Amino acid sequence: AMRHLPYFCRGEVVKGFGRGSKELGIPTANFSEQVVESFPSDIPTGIYYGWACVGNGDVHKMVLSIGWNPFYKNIKKSV
């Protein structure tokens, strides 16, 4: 039961692993570990859609990945 959806979050965008744009051809933005750890525990890992903006900029459609990226064998959850 995902009782927290829709879920609203905000946080600093931090440098990721450097793979999204280079290897996948998709620009990415990553939340800090503190923001990831603050997500409700009942939101399962997976791919979600929603809306995002940076600062007071325009709102854009986005896709959000919550998980460990098993392809890259990550051990920390990322968003």
Side-chain angles (χ1 to χ4, degrees), residues 24-56:
L24 305 175
I26 302 166
T28 63
N30 303 277
F31 277 131
S32 69
E33 287 183 37
Q34 293 81 13
V35 173
V36 175
E37 291 168 1
S38 72
F39 271 53
S41 61
D42 69 333
I43 296 179
T45 59
I47 306 299
Y48 296 85
Y49 70 93
W51 295 265
C53 70
V54 176
N56 293 323

Side-chain angles (χ1 to χ4, degrees), residues 56-74:
N56 293 323
D58 294 336
V59 176
H60 300 275
K61 294 176 185 176
M62 63 91 181
V63 176
L64 177 88
S65 169
I66 301 175
W68 289 272
N69 297 316
F71 179 81
Y72 290 108
K73 298 176 177 57
N74 292 359

Side-chain angles (χ1 to χ4, degrees), residues 2-24:
M2 295 184 287
R3 63 184 180 274
H4 297 286
L5 295 179
Y7 183 69
F8 298 89
C9 64
R10 66 173 8 155
E12 181 181 1
V13 173
V14 298
K15 182 169 176 49
F17 298 104
R19 301 182 294 228
S21 293
K22 292 177 188 161
E23 293 183 25
L24 305 175

